[in-house]
Amino acid sequence: TAKYNIITFFPKFLFEQFSRYANLFFLFITLIQQIPGVSPTGKWSTAGPLILVLSISAIKELIEDYARHKADREVNHSQVFVLRGGKFIQEKWRNVNLAPTKFNTIAAGEPHGMCYIQTANLDGETNLKIRQALPETASKNSTQDIQDFKVSINSITQGQVECEGPNNRLYRFIGNMTFDEQEPIPLGPNQILLRGAQLKNTQWIYGLAIYTGHESKLMQNTTMAPIKRSNVEHVTNDQIIFLFFLLIGLSLLSAIVYEGYSAVPAHIAWRTSFEGLKPAKFGMAFLTFVILYNNLIPISLIVTLEIVRFVQGLLIGWDLDMYYEKTDTPAKARTSNLNEELGQVKYVFSDKTGTLTCNIMEFRRCSIGGKIYGTIHGEGFDDMDLIKDLTGSAPTAVMIREMLTMMAICHTVIPDRQNDDKSIIAYQAASPDEDAIVCAARDIGYVFTARTPNTVTISAMGKEECYEVLSVLEFNSTRKRMSVIVRCPDGKIKLYCKGADSVIYARLHPGGSPFAEQTSDQLREFAVDGLRTLCFGMRELSDSQFNEWNQIYKTASTALEDRDNKIDEAAELIEKDLHLIGASAIEDKLQEYVPETIAALSKAGVNLWVLTGDKQETAINIGYSCRLLNDDMALLIVNESNLAGVQATLLKHVQAFGENIRQDNNTALIIDGQSLQFALEKDLRNTLLDVALSCKSIICCRVSPLQKSLIVQLVRNEVKAITLAIGDGANDVGMIQSAHIGIGISGQEGLQAVCAADYSIARFHYLRKLLFVHGNWSYNRICKCILYSFYKNYTLYLIEFWFATVNGFSGQTLFNQWTISVYNIIFTSLPPIAIGIFDQTLSSKSLLEYPKLYKETQKNDTYNTKVFWLWTLNAIYHTLVIFWLCMLAFIHETPFINGKAIGCRGNRKLEDCSFNRLLELGRNVSHVVIWGSIISWFLFLFMFCSFWPTIDIGANMAGLELIMLKCPSFWLTVIIVSVIALFRDYVWNIIQRTFYKSLTQEIQELEHRKGDIETRLKGNDIKDTIWKHLPIITFGNNETENAQTGYAFSQEEHGATSQAELIRRYDSNIEKPLGD
């Protein structure tokens, strides 16, 4: 993920640097300075500073890219066991054909060669998926077996693997394996482990590496790290082009006038008398003036910005408010060139898993028999009232026992006893929600202890109970429920069913659930707290009822056509007349302060799009939890399976918005990856944007990494707004690189996102300070630094032009060459750097507390073409005042008491120029920098005027310092010129702050006198309802959904092995093979 390597550094670095027009211009000046007799300032006056600027930039780039290489090495040097010489040895990933990244599973530690993986790093899904080895290889569970297989598979005559070429399709793989001269065995996605997947609840697997390095699907879904430039830099480049043409115009004008003077007889134009020397030709004169005026474009600007941005990046890393103590992780600016971009973000694209959430499911509350147990506060589930009611004579005691029993047996979880310690039980759950429920039952006293193909065993408050599993009706996204039919220890047959409240309530026995309405209200209360809910229902069956239904179910299970639908129809026959037991509430644990951060972003005018690979239902649940969605918001759901359907749905939404198209409306768009595949086509992109930009919130679910990148690129290119992408997994790398700004979360899913990002933070809520404070400060600091850098050069080098009007445009310089160089290096170097590092428009407290202030930097009013040329006009005014007042003051030589007379216009103008630049800045930076710079001028003057004759430099300046400082006219001119030059600035500031003040200026004044900022902003803080002012658009019922309660169920569908088949294969009482 690094930006450079040894071979590409110089060409790539130089290309990036010389794509900045300023550097390209100075390269041009350096070249023409080498022409003899052209440069009035020497051959190296531009080349030296340019080399210095490029060297500092190169060092900064190397430091930042070294961090990327270091992070890459941590990944590429990870250890893996490789079979060599008949035994497994540890090797670095990079030494196994670059890196083992895509495995064909040969054998695994679970029954029948199965293993569990989590693909959150690839697609954002936290539920576990099952991968299964081929039956022909599943029994190879020892080192010797694998060694024999390795010899066979590596033999040209005996074995080989054929597969499709590298591609970016995560969910597809086609291949064949041939060994022992048998018929080819088909390989598919169910045998493939992708790089980035994590092995879970499986002790070991043996695998065969197929794709490695950049051929892996993970890397196929990423792009090369792009060269990013800030919007401010683009504006600066545009202004440099204008300045270049201005420079050419001034040089042409000067050369033309010079030609005119050269044609005038010498006795008339005595100042251009060449005394026998021929005048320079027009072309040479033109080049001379180009070199003379070249510093209208400040060469010091680039190095100043590099220093400022680098230090700003350090300040971001040193901010303790963005330091995560638990993992010892500070914020980090990996690419400091984009600091000012942080203050102008309009769209944030966020991953869900690991970015908004913690990847942790916690059982928090439940309702049993109409009574609520547990609390949203604290950690986990802890309510002693439930234990008291269970063990006492409470009316709900029977219901509580039924609920806890159901939580312990109605699932597809596998108990895994460790071979070395049988007392430890680890649960293997395909659904993290089921794991949370089973663990909650265990903590209360109903422990799920064993599973065999036909039974489940629990310990109910210390008493062992064995239930015979008669049937399992699996969960899928259509049914939104799962059921088990068991024979209880007392011989009764019971059906336990859990699922979404809508499907459970539709199947309740009429009048058989007296507390159904009360539970429904409690479900809404859980939803308000952002919890994922499940309803629990139960039905007793007679033997005859079950046997009759079981025949129907077996017939459906063996059907050759339309089997899935027939199974669902059979389930409908038995899953009815349920008695409601209660409901559970699980927290998909959000990172701290996520809802508050999202609310603050909305207040700041930042639109949040959530792009996740997770299921639609899960994504919507999180949307409600983090307050991205609310109950009053209409949900526009687009999940069509073909182009025509997507087009028709989007066009209906466009028509419904009417005049409110591309405006803020109280609606949310939820679209899945399959629909996006069609919506991102060329003909539908603008329609998709019309709908998306008309919604307050957007959630894209089941999207691939490539689709995430395409969505970001679409908004970036079409909307022309600053975009930011934030994520923590390898599946987020594409969108992080596509956005103007990429931010990686240092989370649980590895370092890939951080390595590819421009900035890294440990928690999502740190984004608030990064944007509102550091973004605001950096933007204003950089803008002022750039404007001041141009301004100070104008005021020096435009004086050269005015001087040319009185010297016959001879190309003569007004200032000493050394003083010109020191002007930028010493006299005026510290003030712009001080602005760029220390200037604060507003306090951190105000910027965080009132997000509306962020809109001030989004407007881009501080630095744009208009502001740039207003500063230019101001500089022209100041140069006119400085030059012509000094000319008037010293049009006649100044007499001294000893009868001598002297003129010192050049040094006088330089001093007035320096003083005015520093006094102009006096309102913005510390007095230490201002007065220090002024003192530096006097120190330099004393030193420089003393060099000659000891050092052959500045002979014409010898002794000038004492003469000038003793001259009363000198001091009087300094005062008069400074007052007249700055008078306009102060008058304008008074008028502007009195009648046309900006919001930022108002808040500055309120901060200064400790006024009521909240009243001024009319309560615009993050506590307000952020959607209440938006219009609500009415849509047809078939196009919208309002999911007040989200059911807690996330499980792989259509996997290698069905959940019902999986639990029928397991016997937790049998020890698993060790794989040694």
Side-chain angles (χ1 to χ4, degrees):
T1 63
K3 192 175 180 180
Y4 307 108
N5 58 40
I6 295 176
I7 297 174
T8 64
F9 174 73
F10 279 106
K12 199 169 183 179
F13 170 75
L14 292 176
F15 172 79
E16 181 176 355
Q17 291 301 314
F18 286 112
S19 62
R20 294 171 173 170
Y21 297 144
N23 286 340
L24 196 61
F25 170 75
F26 290 118
L27 178 63
F28 167 72
I29 296 296
T30 299
L31 294 176
I32 65 174
Q33 278 184 325
Q34 309 312 307
I35 302 173
V38 170
S39 175
T41 58
K43 289 186 176 182
W44 307 104
S45 59
T46 302
L50 179 61
I51 292 172
L52 177 65
V53 167
L54 293 177
S55 299
I56 293 175
S57 298
I59 292 171
K60 172 179 168 291
E61 288 289 313
L62 287 171
I63 291 173
E64 291 181 346
D65 206 52
Y66 173 75
R68 299 188 189 98
H69 278 282
K70 185 178 180 182
D72 284 349
R73 280 196 296 272
E74 290 182 15
V75 176
N76 292 329
H77 288 193
S78 299
Q79 298 292 320
V80 62
F81 286 98
V82 181
L83 184 62
R84 287 182 180 166
K87 62 179 181 179
F88 281 96
I89 62 173
Q90 277 193 327
E91 270 286 8
K92 296 176 182 178
W93 276 22
R94 63 179 303 163
N95 295 334
V96 186
N97 295 329
L98 300 182
T101 58
K102 186 169 182 179
F103 273 24
N104 166 33
T105 308
I106 296 174
E110 300 302 308
H112 305 280
M114 291 186 295
C115 67
Y116 289 97
I117 63 169
Q118 186 183 74
T119 58
N121 201 20
L122 293 167
D123 56 20
E125 292 194 12
T126 55
N127 57 283
L128 299 187
K129 297 179 175 63
I130 297 171
R131 295 294 179 263
Q132 186 172 16
L134 294 169
E136 290 82 358
T137 65
S139 60
K140 300 182 184 301
N141 52 24
S142 69
T143 303
Q144 186 59 47
D145 290 340
I146 298 300
Q147 175 66 21
D148 295 341
F149 177 75
K150 181 173 182 281
V151 172
S152 175
I153 202 69
N154 287 340
S155 171
I156 297 177
T157 58
Q158 292 183 331
Q160 63 182 0
V161 173
E162 297 178 330
C163 62
E164 61 184 354
N167 58 71
N168 57 24
R169 295 184 291 272
L170 288 176
Y171 306 108
R172 175 181 171 179
F173 177 80
I174 298 174
N176 290 318
M177 176 186 286
T178 305
F179 61 95
D180 294 337
E181 298 182 353
Q182 297 178 0
E183 290 294 321
I185 305 169
L187 296 173
N190 292 330
Q191 284 78 49
I192 297 301
L193 303 185
L194 302 179
R195 176 180 177 179
Q198 294 177 310
L199 197 67
K200 295 286 186 179
N201 299 338
T202 305
Q203 296 299 315
W204 58 269
I205 60 168
Y206 290 125
L208 177 69
I210 297 178
Y211 296 147
T212 61
H214 287 270
E215 293 183 347
S216 68
K217 289 186 182 290
L218 178 63
M219 297 303 291
Q220 290 283 314
N221 271 279
T222 61
T223 56
M224 292 297 293
I227 296 174
K228 294 184 179 182
R229 298 188 189 91
S230 70
N231 185 55
V232 168
E233 190 169 332
H234 284 297
V235 174
T236 302
N237 270 353
D238 292 342
Q239 305 319 311
I240 288 175
I241 293 175
F242 285 119
L243 286 176
F244 175 76
F245 286 111
L246 176 62
L247 171 63
I248 296 299
L250 286 175
S251 301
L252 279 173
L253 177 62
S254 299
I256 292 170
V257 176
Y258 169 77
E259 281 290 302
Y261 271 108
S262 299
V264 176
H267 69 278
I268 297 175
W270 59 268
R271 287 168 296 187
T272 58
S273 176
F274 296 98
E275 298 181 3
L277 295 176
K278 292 183 179 180
K281 294 182 180 180
F282 177 82
M284 299 294 282
F286 169 72
L287 292 178
T288 296
F289 283 112
V290 169
I291 294 172
L292 186 63
Y293 302 146
N294 80 86
N295 276 307
L296 281 175
I297 302 171
I299 193 170
S300 61
L301 173 63
I302 304 300
V303 69
T304 299
L305 290 180
E306 294 289 357
I307 293 171
V308 165
R309 285 168 170 159
F310 184 75
V311 176
Q312 286 178 350
L314 293 178
L315 293 176
I316 289 173
W318 294 340
D319 192 334
L320 293 179
D321 290 338
M322 296 192 294
Y323 170 73
Y324 192 53
E325 189 174 0
K326 288 184 178 179
T327 57
D328 189 28
T329 307
K332 189 172 184 180
R334 297 170 56 83
T335 307
S336 57
N337 290 342
L338 304 172
N339 294 341
E340 62 270 26
E341 213 77 320
L342 293 169
Q344 297 180 279
V345 174
K346 186 66 178 176
Y347 290 91
V348 171
F349 299 88
S350 174
D351 178 42
K352 178 190 76 69
T353 307
T355 303
L356 301 179
T357 66
C358 298
N359 288 348
I360 298 173
M361 298 287 185
E362 286 190 352
F363 188 94
R364 302 307 299 269
R365 309 182 75 184
C366 64
S367 169
I368 305 176
K371 183 176 180 179
I372 293 179
Y373 298 96
T375 176
I376 190 62
H377 305 292
E379 296 292 332
F381 181 85
D382 183 17
D383 193 336
M384 294 305 298
D385 288 344
L386 186 143
I387 302 297
K388 292 178 181 178
D389 290 348
L390 173 63
T391 56
S393 57
T396 57
V398 175
M399 286 286 188
I400 293 174
R401 281 192 288 272
E402 203 71 71
M403 177 79 167
L404 294 175
T405 300
M406 186 174 176
M407 289 169 60
I409 67 173
C410 182
H411 51 73
T412 58
V413 176
I414 305 296
D416 183 15
R417 292 185 182 271
Q418 305 299 316
N419 287 332
D420 53 347
D421 189 350
K422 299 297 183 182
S423 63
I424 300 176
I425 301 177
Y427 293 128
Q428 301 177 10
S431 166
D433 307 280
E434 283 200 331
D435 182 64
I437 290 172
V438 173
C439 289
R442 175 200 62 196
D443 295 341
I444 294 171
Y446 279 65
V447 184
F448 173 45
T449 57
R451 181 185 290 281
T452 68
N454 298 309
T455 64
V456 291
T457 303
I458 67 172
S459 173
M461 304 301 287
K463 178 183 177 183
E464 185 174 289
E465 297 178 357
C466 184
Y467 294 80
E468 180 184 357
V469 179
L470 303 177
S471 185
V472 178
L473 304 177
E474 285 191 73
F475 163 87
N476 61 47
S477 56
T478 302
R479 285 168 37 78
K480 298 184 180 180
R481 63 189 183 278
M482 72 89 61
S483 302
V484 294
I485 303 176
V486 297
R487 188 181 299 277
C488 302
D490 59 3
K492 295 181 180 178
I493 298 177
K494 291 184 179 180
L495 178 144
Y496 291 112
C497 181
K498 66 181 180 185
D501 55 344
S502 57
V503 297
I504 298 298
Y505 270 69
R507 288 161 179 77
L508 293 180
H509 187 281
S513 302
F515 47 87
E517 186 174 345
Q518 185 178 357
T519 303
S520 180
D521 293 337
Q522 293 165 347
L523 284 169
R524 279 190 286 272
E525 179 182 338
F526 296 158
V528 169
D529 290 333
L531 303 177
R532 294 152 58 97
T533 58
L534 280 176
C535 284
F536 291 72
M538 182 272 293
R539 175 189 179 188
E540 283 194 22
L541 300 173
S542 64
D543 286 357
S544 59
Q545 285 178 315
F546 171 74
N547 293 332
E548 181 181 348
W549 172 83
N550 197 33
Q551 291 300 318
I552 299 173
Y553 182 73
K554 286 183 178 179
T555 302
S557 300
T558 55
L560 297 178
E561 295 182 1
D562 201 19
R563 178 179 297 178
D564 290 342
N565 286 334
K566 290 181 178 179
I567 289 176
D568 289 348
E569 290 172 0
E572 288 283 354
L573 299 175
I574 198 73
E575 292 173 327
K576 61 181 182 179
D577 295 333
L578 301 176
H579 293 271
L580 184 65
I581 299 175
S584 65
I586 295 173
E587 181 182 19
D588 187 355
K589 197 169 182 60
L590 292 173
Q591 291 187 16
E592 61 274 18
Y593 307 117
V594 165
E596 293 85 349
T597 302
I598 291 176
L601 290 173
S602 182
K603 269 295 181 185
V606 179
N607 297 284
L608 179 65
W609 294 33
V610 174
L611 312 180
T612 177
D614 224 332
K615 290 181 172 62
Q616 176 180 301
E617 294 81 7
T618 307
I620 292 175
N621 289 341
I622 292 297
Y624 281 105
S625 299
C626 67
R627 304 296 189 267
L628 184 64
L629 308 177
N630 63 53
D631 292 340
D632 298 327
M633 185 177 285
L635 305 188
L636 312 185
I637 297 179
V638 182
N639 52 10
E640 304 294 335
S641 59
N642 55 68
L643 177 61
V646 173
Q647 185 175 20
T649 303
L650 291 177
L651 288 175
K652 286 181 181 178
H653 294 329
V654 170
Q655 294 172 359
F657 281 115
E659 295 180 355
N660 292 311
I661 199 74
R662 293 207 175 197
Q663 298 179 14
D664 280 342
N665 300 287
N666 197 17
T667 55
L669 173 66
I670 290 89
I671 184 169
D672 65 3
Q674 188 175 19
S675 299
L676 271 175
Q677 181 179 350
F678 302 109
L680 289 172
E681 292 186 4
K682 187 175 181 180
D683 295 338
L684 276 183
R685 287 180 185 174
N686 288 333
T687 308
L688 172 64
L689 267 182
D690 286 338
V691 176
L693 298 180
S694 303
C695 296
K696 186 63 184 176
S697 303
I698 292 88
I699 297 177
C700 302
C701 48
R702 300 295 290 171
V703 292
S704 68
L706 186 59
Q707 285 178 323
K708 290 185 177 185
S709 177
L710 292 174
I711 293 168
V712 174
Q713 290 177 26
L714 177 65
V715 176
R716 174 174 179 167
N717 297 334
E718 299 296 331
V719 182
K720 306 298 182 184
I722 303 301
T723 58
L724 181 151
I726 180 170
D728 72 321
N731 59 321
D732 304 315
V733 169
M735 73 171 183
I736 283 173
Q737 293 180 337
S738 297
H740 290 92
I741 308 167
I743 297 183
I745 299 283
S746 305
Q748 302 178 14
E749 297 185 16
L751 296 173
Q752 289 93 331
V754 171
C755 291
D758 305 304
Y759 299 87
S760 64
I761 54 178
R763 312 299 283 173
F764 179 81
H765 73 89
Y766 293 163
L767 185 65
R768 189 174 165 192
K769 186 166 190 184
L770 186 64
L771 297 187
F772 294 174
V773 178
H774 290 284
N776 183 294
W777 286 350
S778 296
Y779 172 74
N780 284 292
R781 289 167 177 173
I782 290 290
C783 290
K784 291 176 183 177
C785 180
I786 292 173
L787 290 169
Y788 182 77
S789 295
F790 277 103
Y791 169 76
K792 69 185 179 68
N793 274 43
Y794 292 157
T795 53
L796 181 67
Y797 291 98
L798 282 177
I799 288 177
E800 292 280 10
F801 178 76
W802 304 133
F803 180 58
T805 64
V806 297
N807 69 21
F809 288 88
S810 61
Q812 171 184 353
T813 61
L814 175 62
F815 306 112
N816 178 277
Q817 179 181 341
W818 286 96
T819 57
I820 291 176
S821 300
V822 175
Y823 173 82
N824 275 321
I825 296 173
I826 297 178
F827 301 160
T828 58
S829 61
L830 287 181
I833 292 176
I835 291 177
I837 296 175
F838 300 113
D839 186 50
Q840 290 187 12
T841 50
L842 294 168
S843 68
S844 172
K845 180 177 181 294
S846 294
L847 291 170
L848 285 173
E849 194 168 347
Y850 306 104
K852 184 179 179 181
L853 296 172
Y854 187 73
K855 293 182 179 180
E856 294 295 291
T857 55
Q858 283 180 330
K859 296 175 184 177
N860 203 24
D861 289 340
T862 305
Y863 182 64
N864 53 44
T865 302
K866 176 183 175 182
V867 172
F868 182 89
W869 288 102
L870 285 175
W871 277 66
T872 301
L873 292 174
N874 194 39
I876 294 173
Y877 163 74
H878 285 167
T879 58
L880 287 169
V881 170
I882 293 170
F883 180 81
W884 292 107
L885 284 182
C886 288
M887 282 293 297
L888 290 173
F890 293 92
I891 194 168
H892 301 292
E893 283 77 7
T894 301
F896 283 81
I897 193 168
N898 59 6
K900 294 182 179 181
I902 190 169
C904 49
R905 288 190 294 271
N907 287 295
R908 172 62 38 72
K909 292 178 179 66
L910 181 64
E911 179 171 297
D912 284 337
C913 183
S914 298
F915 282 14
N916 277 280
R917 297 318 100 241
L918 296 168
L919 292 172
E920 171 69 18
L921 198 62
R923 301 182 303 277
N924 302 312
V925 295
S926 70
H927 287 281
V928 174
V929 173
I930 299 169
W931 296 110
S933 296
I934 292 175
I935 291 171
S936 71
W937 186 89
F938 287 101
L939 292 176
F940 171 81
L941 187 65
F942 276 99
M943 293 173 59
F944 189 72
C945 293
S946 304
F947 284 159
W948 193 87
T950 305
I951 302 174
D952 190 15
I953 296 176
N956 60 342
M957 298 281 288
L960 184 62
E961 77 284 8
L962 295 176
I963 296 173
M964 189 168 63
L965 294 178
K966 290 178 180 179
C967 177
S969 299
F970 166 78
W971 296 106
L972 184 62
T973 305
V974 168
I975 296 172
I976 292 174
V977 170
S978 298
V979 170
I980 294 176
L982 297 178
F983 181 74
R984 188 215 65 82
D985 300 68
Y986 280 96
V987 169
W988 167 246
N989 280 333
I990 292 170
I991 295 173
Q992 197 267 335
R993 280 188 170 266
T994 303
F995 302 105
Y996 308 105
K997 69 178 65 175
S998 66
L999 178 62
T1000 298
Q1001 290 171 335
E1002 288 189 56
I1003 304 303
Q1004 284 175 343
E1005 294 174 8
L1006 288 171
E1007 281 187 343
H1008 180 69
R1009 59 176 186 261
K1010 299 181 180 179
D1012 189 354
I1013 299 176
E1014 186 168 357
T1015 301
R1016 166 61 188 87
L1017 294 175
K1018 298 179 181 178
N1020 283 295
D1021 58 62
I1022 61 173
K1023 298 177 183 178
D1024 291 338
T1025 304
I1026 59 179
W1027 295 282
K1028 64 184 180 183
H1029 63 289
L1030 302 177
I1032 298 177
I1033 310 300
T1034 303
F1035 296 86
N1037 291 332
N1038 60 329
E1039 299 169 8
T1040 65
E1041 179 177 323
N1042 194 323
Q1044 289 186 345
T1045 57
Y1047 63 96
F1049 221 97
S1050 177
Q1051 186 169 294
E1052 182 185 25
E1053 299 178 40
H1054 313 296
T1057 304
S1058 69
Q1059 294 299 313
E1061 184 180 357
L1062 172 69
I1063 62 175
R1064 293 295 190 184
R1065 292 180 178 181
Y1066 260 88
D1067 190 337
S1068 59
N1069 297 319
I1070 299 176
E1071 289 191 5
K1072 298 177 183 178
L1074 298 177
D1076 53 11

